[in-house]
């Protein structure tokens, strides 16, 4: 009787509310705080002001909303951000270029 059955949803039990990681909740809380500060600083007068004030919370909600293949979407977003932000410097020398000093024999 040493055989144990692991349920199919055992990974979900390690998540908060069965859906979220700690970073997801941190992003959502940061969006909520940003929205609260915008509403507090900029009292909305019309619909456009309300939409601008709610933008941080809407973006944070879209980032942490449980969608199918959420980890794939998150990884894709991180890769796109990394590709666009980090500087790339590619040096192509060609497959036939000599990497050492050229001698008079090689120049002929």
């Amino acid at each position: 009787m040493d055989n144990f059955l692991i349920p199919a949803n055992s990974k979900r039990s390690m998540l908060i509310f069965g859906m979220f990681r700690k970073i997801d909740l941190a992003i959502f809380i940061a969006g909520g705080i940003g929205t609260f500060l915008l509403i507090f600083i900029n009292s909305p007068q019309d619909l456009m002001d309300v939409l601008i004030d709610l933008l941080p919370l809407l973006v944070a909600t879209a980032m942490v909303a449980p969608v199918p293949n959420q980890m794939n979407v998150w990884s894709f977003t991180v890769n796109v951000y990394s590709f666009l932000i980090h500087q790339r410097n590619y040096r192509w020398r060609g497959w036939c270029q000599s990497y050492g000093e050229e001698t008079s024999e090689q120049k002929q």
Side-chain angles (χ1 to χ4, degrees):
M1 287 274 159
D2 289 334
N3 297 334
F4 296 102
L5 178 64
I6 299 173
N9 62 353
S10 63
K11 287 276 191 183
R12 290 187 67 174
S13 66
M14 297 187 316
L15 300 174
I16 300 169
F17 302 123
M19 291 186 201
F20 304 108
R21 298 174 299 160
K22 291 178 183 175
I23 188 71
D24 295 335
L25 292 181
I27 290 171
F28 185 73
I29 289 170
I33 290 172
T35 296
F36 177 76
L37 289 175
L38 281 175
I39 290 173
F40 184 70
I41 292 170
N42 177 26
S43 58
Q45 301 296 327
D46 59 353
L47 182 62
M48 193 59 153
D49 287 341
V50 171
L51 291 176
I52 290 172
D53 289 346
L54 289 177
L55 193 61
L57 186 62
L58 295 174
V59 169
T61 302
M63 288 178 68
V64 301
V67 296
N69 303 320
Q70 181 180 11
M71 296 282 93
N72 293 343
V73 173
W74 181 256
S75 296
F76 177 74
T77 306
V78 168
N79 288 336
V80 167
Y81 174 78
S82 176
F83 178 78
L84 293 175
I85 297 302
H86 294 103
Q87 181 179 5
R88 293 164 305 280
N89 189 6
Y90 302 113
R91 293 186 183 139
W92 183 74
R93 295 176 132 182
W95 62 273
C96 61
Q97 182 176 357
S98 173
Y99 294 107
E101 292 291 324
E102 290 187 17
T103 63
S104 60
E105 296 168 359
Q106 290 175 340
K107 291 181 182 179
Q108 295 177 358

